[in-house]
């Protein structure tokens, strides 16, 4: 994913995500961190981070964007 596309996608999610979730997504997508390692960087467990991302993936208003950002089905 291109950085500019990533920034646009994150901006589309702003009303639905907090700073920690945004940072996790950035670390996973742009820095090639695993979800577990990204979660550790922001002070969450891997489980907590996964639950945040799954919640976004199940939300009809955010699912397309989050799946596109993460480039995989959750």
């Amino acid at each position: 994913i291109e950085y500019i596309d990533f920034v646009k996608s994150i901006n589309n999610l702003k009303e639905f995500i907090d700073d920690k979730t945004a940072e996790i997504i950035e670390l996973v997508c742009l820095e090639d961190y695993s979800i577990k390692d990204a979660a550790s960087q922001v002070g969450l467990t891997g489980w907590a981070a996964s639950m945040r991302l799954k919640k976004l993936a199940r939300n009809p208003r955010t699912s397309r964007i989050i799946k596109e950002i993460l480039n995989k089905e959750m």
Side-chain angles (χ1 to χ4, degrees):
I1 188 167
E2 294 290 327
Y3 181 76
I4 293 172
D5 292 336
F6 175 79
V7 171
K8 286 180 185 177
S9 294
I10 286 293
N11 285 336
N12 288 335
L13 290 174
K14 274 199 179 206
E15 70 181 274
F16 302 102
I17 62 174
D18 59 278
D19 292 338
K20 285 186 178 186
T21 304
E23 189 172 350
I24 289 167
I25 294 169
E26 181 176 343
L27 289 170
V28 169
C29 294
L30 300 179
E31 309 274 335
D32 285 332
Y33 277 63
S34 67
I35 292 173
K36 182 180 177 182
D37 291 340
S40 178
Q41 286 290 320
V42 300
L44 294 173
T45 64
W47 181 85
S50 291
M51 290 292 95
R52 287 172 183 232
L53 297 176
K54 285 181 182 180
K55 183 177 177 183
L56 289 172
R58 286 189 293 242
N59 182 332
R61 297 174 69 188
T62 59
S63 65
R64 182 189 56 77
I65 297 168
I66 195 69
K67 288 176 182 177
E68 180 180 296
I69 289 173
L70 295 177
N71 199 24
K72 63 180 177 183
E73 294 293 321
M74 296 187 80

